[in-house]
Amino acid sequence: MNTGIKLLSLMALALFTQGCVKGSADPMATEKPYSRVLTIMCLGNNNGLASSLKGNVQSICDNPIPIKTDAKAVLLYEHYDNREPVLTRLYSDWRGTTCRDTLLTLPRSTVSTSEETILSVLSYIKENFPTDHNGLVLSSHGTGWLPKGYYNSFSGNGPRLSSFGSEGGSASPVFAEIELQDLKDCIPFHCDYLILDACLMGGVEVAYELKDIADRIAFSSTEILTRGYCYDVLIGDVMKNFDYALEDFCRSFYDFTSSMGSSYDRSCTISCIRTSGLERLAQVCKTLFGKYRENLLRLGPADVQGFFRDNKQWFFDLEDMLVKAGISSGERDALENVLKGCVTYCNHTESFLDKFDIATYCGLSCYLTGAGNDYLDGIYTNLAWNKATEYVTARQ
């Protein structure tokens, strides 16, 4: 772990004294000092994201935020343009003006998209803002379940997009990404909800890998335009004294995107996942994968609804993949039934960036073996989803 991070964390622990009010009318309040803590991590020390992430932060600050003595806390970690990363607490003063308390300032050389940094920052939050109800937003570049560096080894031109876990380019001398399997180990507390404001993270592989750290997950199966999600809605809901409705947050993103003037700007997919339903989905898929394995291997990228541009053909609709493999109507009914148990909201625009149509969307993408290769198959076998479903086996 970065020695500077260790020292700064210890100094902050020694200096940090935060009062809070336990007499809140919030029905989610427990014996712990905070009834709810929302942490937003803007990891923008890379090409193309810093200005958009700063705009998202401004939309947060333009809305009412809990006062400093409230039992609800909003925390913000920002790292942009090779500057010093900072963790702050946002709160409103008596005038309603948004204020910031600096909790941690890390060295300029810190790599924020590393397991060590994320774990260190979130461990500090766990220690100093104890709660039974955490919300976590991760915003950066990212590429679903793919291994580090693989997505960027393929060329492709297009607009600036926000995809998770990437640092580098002209903004930073260090290139760094986080493997999906390592991401879950970076989060030291359980989350009521986890929001991934990042491209291509809306896969069943991602959801299954992270299912034990969050009750609900929001993400997109396609890329996300750099404007990102509707952070004002996120903060507005934190102010309410009832359980957070992640479906409403996802709906706000779809409604905002679908209201755009051009078909180019009207481009998104969005899903809300209840992770408790993923085990049953894995059981059903394991049976279908085994029965229709040969048919799945024969499917190519043109045969199934995809959520990718250019030649980066690794993200396909889970249900459409099995339908095209020939499952029966009864098997499809069973699949849709278990999907309803874990996909509590999903929606999509008619097309994406004028590059491809979206005719069907079950709420979860999936790797298609017939569109992959031996290397990716080998990586895939290590994922929790594959261990549960035995989807990818030795190529025949």
Side-chain angles (χ1 to χ4, degrees):
M1 184 179 292
N2 187 301
T3 303
I5 295 175
K6 283 184 175 179
L7 292 174
L8 283 165
S9 297
L10 290 172
M11 291 171 61
L13 285 171
L15 295 173
F16 181 78
T17 56
Q18 175 64 59
C20 54
V21 172
K22 296 183 68 175
S24 170
D26 192 337
M28 295 182 71
T30 66
E31 293 183 358
K32 292 187 177 179
Y34 292 90
S35 62
R36 261 175 288 180
V37 175
L38 168 62
T39 301
I40 302 166
M41 301 194 75
C42 295
L43 310 180
N45 193 29
N46 45 50
N47 288 341
L49 288 186
S51 61
S52 295
L53 292 179
K54 291 174 184 177
N56 291 336
V57 170
Q58 187 58 51
S59 73
I60 294 171
C61 295
D62 289 342
N63 283 271
I65 297 174
I67 61 174
K68 194 172 184 178
T69 54
D70 200 299
K72 292 171 286 191
V74 178
L75 308 178
L76 175 66
Y77 179 86
E78 298 174 278
H79 191 185
Y80 311 125
D81 306 324
N82 204 25
R83 299 177 183 176
E84 292 178 333
V86 178
L87 175 68
T88 59
R89 180 180 182 183
L90 304 180
Y91 63 93
S92 294
D93 65 12
W94 63 276
R95 300 181 186 89
T97 303
T98 298
C99 303
R100 298 184 184 220
D101 275 353
T102 298
L103 307 177
L104 288 175
T105 300
L106 305 185
R108 186 186 299 267
S109 59
T110 299
V111 178
S112 289
T113 57
S114 71
E115 302 95 294
E116 293 83 4
T117 301
I118 293 178
L119 177 59
S120 178
V121 171
L122 295 183
S123 294
Y124 170 87
I125 291 170
K126 178 181 180 181
E127 179 70 21
N128 290 280
F129 293 85
T131 183
D132 290 324
H133 298 287
N134 277 291
L136 178 61
V137 181
L138 298 175
S139 184
S140 184
H141 284 299
T143 56
W145 62 271
L146 293 174
K148 289 192 287 189
Y150 192 85
Y151 185 87
N152 290 314
S153 68
F154 285 76
S155 61
N157 298 319
R160 292 166 51 196
L161 294 156
S162 165
S163 17
F164 180 81
S166 179
E167 192 159 321
S170 61
S172 170
V174 177
F175 177 80
E177 293 181 344
I178 300 175
E179 298 280 2
L180 175 60
Q181 296 97 319
D182 295 328
L183 179 60
K184 64 181 177 182
D185 296 328
C186 300
I187 304 174
F189 46 70
H190 190 80
C191 300
D192 286 354
Y193 58 91
L194 170 64
I195 297 172
L196 299 174
D197 190 357
C199 295
L200 304 168
M201 297 300 288
V204 66
E205 301 91 352
V206 174
Y208 200 84
E209 203 76 39
L210 302 178
K211 65 181 175 60
D212 294 331
I213 64 170
D215 294 334
R216 289 167 290 173
I217 302 174
F219 50 26
S220 169
S221 293
T222 56
E223 295 160 294
I224 302 175
L225 292 171
T226 52
R227 61 184 177 236
Y229 295 145
C230 300
Y231 284 74
D232 54 339
V233 175
L234 174 66
I235 295 301
D237 221 82
V238 169
M239 296 291 291
K240 299 174 183 176
N241 287 327
F242 50 79
D243 192 13
Y244 184 72
L246 195 59
E247 292 83 3
D248 290 343
F249 173 75
C250 294
R251 188 176 292 107
S252 72
F253 172 64
Y254 170 76
D255 290 344
F256 174 79
T257 305
S258 61
S259 70
M260 293 290 101
S262 70
S263 59
Y264 188 90
D265 289 326
R266 291 195 305 272
S267 299
C268 77
T269 56
I270 186 66
S271 304
C272 180
I273 306 302
R274 181 190 296 121
T275 57
S276 61
L278 289 168
E279 289 285 8
R280 180 58 184 149
L281 177 64
Q283 294 169 7
V284 170
C285 285
K286 179 179 180 179
T287 299
L288 296 176
F289 289 156
K291 182 176 179 180
Y292 294 94
R293 187 173 308 281
E294 293 301 318
N295 292 355
L296 287 167
L297 285 170
R298 284 193 286 268
L299 291 174
D303 300 321
V304 182
Q305 175 68 62
F307 303 114
F308 57 89
R309 296 178 301 123
D310 304 322
N311 61 341
K312 300 178 178 182
Q313 52 192 35
W314 307 298
F315 309 96
F316 297 84
D317 189 78
L318 174 61
E319 181 180 2
D320 194 50
M321 184 176 77
L322 285 164
V323 169
K324 298 298 174 54
I327 63 175
S328 69
S329 59
E331 288 168 332
R332 183 173 186 176
D333 289 343
L335 175 63
E336 290 181 345
N337 186 55
V338 294
L339 280 169
K340 289 177 182 177
C342 57
V343 181
T344 60
Y345 176 84
C346 69
N347 216 330
H348 63 90
T349 52
E350 294 181 353
S351 62
F352 190 82
L353 296 176
D354 296 333
K355 292 286 187 178
F356 60 85
D357 293 328
I358 305 176
T360 184
Y361 180 51
C362 74
L364 290 166
S365 67
C366 187
Y367 176 50
L368 181 67
T369 55
N373 54 49
D374 290 338
Y375 172 71
L376 287 181
D377 282 3
I379 294 294
Y380 202 87
T381 58
N382 296 314
L383 298 178
W385 170 253
N386 195 68
K387 292 176 181 177
T389 63
E390 299 177 1
Y391 171 44
V392 174
T393 60
R395 283 179 176 263
Q396 300 178 359

